[in-house]
Amino acid sequence: MLNSLYTEAIRKKGLINEPLEEYKETKIDIESKWHEEEIIASDSNHILAAGDGSYNKKKYLSFNFYAVAAQSLIYNPNDTESKLKTIESAELDIIPHQSFLEDRLRNMMSIFEIKTAIKTFNDFDIDYYMDDGSILGDLIRPIPVEKSISPEYKSNIISPVKEKLESEIQSSELNLSSFNFKEEFKDLFDDENIDEYALITFLESLENLIALKYLLENKKKIIAISKTSSSNEIFHANIPDMAILDGMTRKQGFSEPYHRKVTYKTKHDFPIEDEFFRDLWFTIFFARLDDNKNIIKIELPFYTKDLDEIREILKVLKSNSTEGYPFLLKKAHNDVVISNQDMDSLSKIIGFLDKSGREMLN
């Protein structure tokens, strides 16, 4: 089979052109969309923090073994004892086979990320918090399994747990609180339309949204940074804006910012704090912090047309960057990644004997 693929690759060598090459031959208005200017690193002693999360799972015949972790790094240049501090949270357990498991684990990871960020804000007087990924993207991505619960049931679930979840989140406990409340709704499992895992997933979604609202009270200090993006809202081409900017610019600078309300990207109602999330604005732009380095996407969870404010944020990012990317955020990501090898080692420590199915291939 592989021989056939290699033969086909040789046959098509030179015949397939990258889409970007076609755009380079057309007149894309880069100049009006890109501010090419040197970004000078800020000389202020800002207290910076960065956070990221990770999850992984190992599939066994009768269950899934999963691990979730999140980490915040806090850099205080004025601290004479230790300039770098860490806040960590983690959980590992088994989880039954179920639909949309990846969505659920991603949501669980998000809860740990947000709670770790909240604790960072509570424990340290930071100037900026760099978050790995897209907050707007997380908000507009509903979990499919929630559709199996009717609005009536959702209302009956939200009322008794809202205050409890808020209290748990404000306590800065780094754990998954929503699972503790599933026993309150045992009677709903008798209904043929209510699946136990759908209910637990819904509770976790509520916890995620409540925690995110609590975090976004610090929105002027939050900078969400993505290494990849498929959005095409600047050039409206059939390839992403990031690819065009990366291929057609080389110098430092940033793109003209655009603004998106959450409701522009999604029409679904949020089961909790709907008005708050639907009224949220995001300022979005791309930037290159060093010549000839990669483009990054930046989201600010507030509305601003002030280019000087954007320049100030870029100066702060530049002061903590190596090779065109914030060092603190890169370290947080590298430290928290849970590899397949980690999952194998963790499962051996716990002593799982169930077969995974890989034995047949050995």
Side-chain angles (χ1 to χ4, degrees), residues 203-221:
L203 288 170
E204 290 164 352
S205 294
L206 296 180
E207 182 174 6
N208 190 31
L209 289 172
I210 292 172
L212 184 56
K213 178 181 182 292
Y214 195 73
L215 175 63
L216 287 176
E217 291 177 356
N218 305 283
K219 59 186 179 181
K220 279 282 187 176
K221 296 184 176 184

Side-chain angles (χ1 to χ4, degrees), residues 231-355:
S231 67
N232 61 348
E233 299 191 57
I234 296 179
F235 300 106
H236 305 288
N238 63 0
I239 59 175
D241 296 326
M242 179 177 276
I244 292 176
L245 290 170
D246 187 65
M248 301 183 72
T249 66
R250 284 289 175 264
K251 297 291 187 179
Q252 300 171 48
F254 62 96
S255 70
E256 187 69 17
Y258 61 95
H259 310 90
R260 290 292 176 260
K261 203 175 183 181
V262 170
T263 49
Y264 172 85
K265 301 292 290 184
T266 182
K267 303 303 179 186
H268 77 272
D269 293 332
F270 294 91
I272 200 166
E273 304 293 355
D274 182 64
E275 184 177 350
F276 172 83
F277 287 113
R278 292 174 70 84
D279 286 343
L280 270 179
W281 281 93
F282 285 81
T283 299
I284 305 165
F285 58 96
F286 296 88
R288 179 184 282 114
L289 300 178
D290 281 321
D291 293 350
N292 301 310
K293 300 304 178 183
N294 290 340
I295 295 283
I296 58 175
K297 183 180 182 181
I298 298 173
E299 284 180 6
L300 308 176
F302 56 89
Y303 189 103
T304 179
K305 282 189 174 181
D306 188 344
L307 295 188
D308 286 336
E309 184 175 13
I310 288 174
R311 289 185 177 97
E312 182 59 33
I313 289 171
L314 291 174
K315 289 178 181 179
V316 171
L317 294 180
K318 180 71 174 279
S319 69
N320 183 253
S321 293
T322 58
E323 299 294 312
Y325 193 78
F327 172 77
L328 208 60
L329 193 58
K330 181 186 245 182
K331 179 171 173 54
H333 172 77
N334 291 340
D335 287 353
V336 83
V337 168
I338 307 168
S339 67
N340 290 337
Q341 185 176 348
D342 292 328
M343 296 302 295
D344 289 339
S345 299
L346 292 168
S347 62
K348 287 177 182 177
I349 291 171
I350 292 178
F352 288 138
L353 299 176
D354 197 350
K355 294 181 179 180

Side-chain angles (χ1 to χ4, degrees), residues 100-135:
F100 308 111
L101 180 58
E102 289 288 335
D103 292 303
R104 184 177 173 193
L105 290 175
R106 189 182 299 113
N107 196 44
M108 291 166 66
M109 178 191 72
S110 177
I111 293 171
F112 277 94
E113 282 182 325
I114 295 169
K115 285 191 169 184
T116 305
I118 291 171
K119 184 170 177 59
T120 303
F121 276 105
N122 289 344
D123 293 357
F124 299 91
D125 185 20
I126 62 175
D127 295 300
Y128 291 100
Y129 187 92
M130 295 175 283
D131 181 64
D132 188 282
S134 169
I135 297 174

Side-chain angles (χ1 to χ4, degrees), residues 57-83:
K57 71 180 188 302
K58 185 174 181 179
K59 186 177 181 181
Y60 289 89
L61 294 181
S62 59
F63 63 90
N64 291 281
F65 171 54
Y66 76 89
V68 180
Q71 177 178 254
S72 285
L73 298 176
I74 303 94
Y75 177 71
N76 183 356
N78 307 310
D79 194 324
T80 56
E81 294 183 4
S82 175
K83 289 181 169 41

